[in-house]
Amino acid sequence: MKPVSLLSLIPLAAAAPSNGIKARGLTVPTGPVPENVRIVGVSLLGSGCPAGTADVQIDATKTLLEVTFSEYIIQTGPDTRASDWRKNCKLTLNMEFDEGFSFSTLATDMSGFAQIPEGSKGLCTNTFDFTGISGKTSYELELVGEIEGAFTLSADPDVVSWSPCGGTTAIMNMNTQCNISPTKDAALIAVDRISGAITVNVQLDWHKC
């Protein structure tokens, strides 16, 4: 796994522009992309994404996917339960695009709010795979205490899995999982106080089949 960089621990003062997704730490690929890309179906399952609390968008460049969670909260410490210490959300995205292309996830960043004392650590893992294709692409993001404030973490993978060639659709599965350890001390990973969400930005890389 390549190193993870902690890019920001200050409040997010500016929102992303309305004409596209601005992913901190991600560089938009410059290769050919399909003219038409759209998400035609989304299903959600997990403790971090109750019904109606997640949203998925793709930007105008067709290379940045933004997933937001409005009730994704991990807590440890007194009066918390095992169900509070770890959260996950599995998204199944049905993507439709022009014939002759395949895509992969090239990098990811994750933004939210954290209060983690010295001696505690948060760990978030974003894993991607494609239905019908073996292999997974994983990104690990660490929050090592002492931290208090808004954060953005960025990572890229060692292994990349591509969607199948020969069609105009692909089903991409994304599993986001976060936990904090040890569980005895009070700590928190939660939605950012300004945006009201934990956000995962996913950089898509396209190539011609």
Side-chain angles (χ1 to χ4, degrees):
M1 189 68 58
K2 295 182 182 179
V4 174
S5 59
L6 184 59
L7 302 181
S8 174
L9 277 174
I10 59 175
L12 305 180
S18 59
N19 62 343
I21 300 167
K22 182 177 177 60
R24 294 163 295 277
L26 303 186
T27 302
V28 177
T30 57
V33 299
E35 183 177 346
N36 301 296
V37 180
R38 65 190 186 108
I39 300 167
V40 295
V42 179
S43 65
L44 304 167
L45 180 66
S47 57
C49 54
T53 65
D55 181 65
V56 183
Q57 297 183 36
I58 191 164
D59 83 332
T61 72
K62 315 298 192 298
T63 61
L64 288 173
L65 191 71
E66 181 184 74
V67 184
T68 56
F69 305 97
S70 60
E71 291 189 15
Y72 199 112
I73 300 172
I74 302 95
Q75 298 181 81
T76 57
D79 301 321
T80 62
R81 301 173 295 176
S83 58
D84 299 318
W85 305 338
R86 178 188 298 269
K87 293 292 174 70
N88 84 293
C89 183
K90 181 178 180 180
L91 292 89
T92 300
L93 307 178
N94 191 347
M95 305 276 287
E96 185 176 85
F97 45 87
D98 296 336
E99 188 174 3
F101 283 90
S102 176
F103 72 96
S104 68
T105 61
L106 187 61
T108 184
D109 74 26
M110 192 168 193
S111 300
F113 181 87
Q115 289 180 316
I116 300 177
E118 186 176 356
S120 293
K121 181 178 77 171
L123 176 64
C124 294
T125 304
N126 297 318
T127 304
F128 298 85
D129 66 82
F130 295 96
T131 297
I133 297 291
S134 62
K136 296 183 178 181
T137 304
S138 292
Y139 307 80
E140 287 190 353
L141 307 163
E142 289 188 344
L143 283 161
V144 180
E146 182 178 6
I147 291 170
E148 181 170 359
F151 70 85
T152 297
L153 294 171
S154 181
D156 52 11
D158 290 330
V159 179
V160 174
S161 178
W162 289 87
S163 68
C165 281
T168 60
T169 62
I171 297 176
M172 183 173 73
N173 305 298
M174 169 183 171
N175 190 41
T176 294
Q177 179 176 278
C178 292
N179 67 78
I180 302 173
S181 61
T183 59
K184 62 182 177 62
D185 297 322
L188 173 72
I189 299 174
V191 301
D192 179 69
R193 292 175 177 176
I194 294 176
S195 67
I198 281 182
T199 301
V200 179
N201 288 307
V202 183
Q203 181 177 306
L204 303 181
D205 190 21
W206 293 91
H207 76 183
K208 284 277 194 177
C209 291

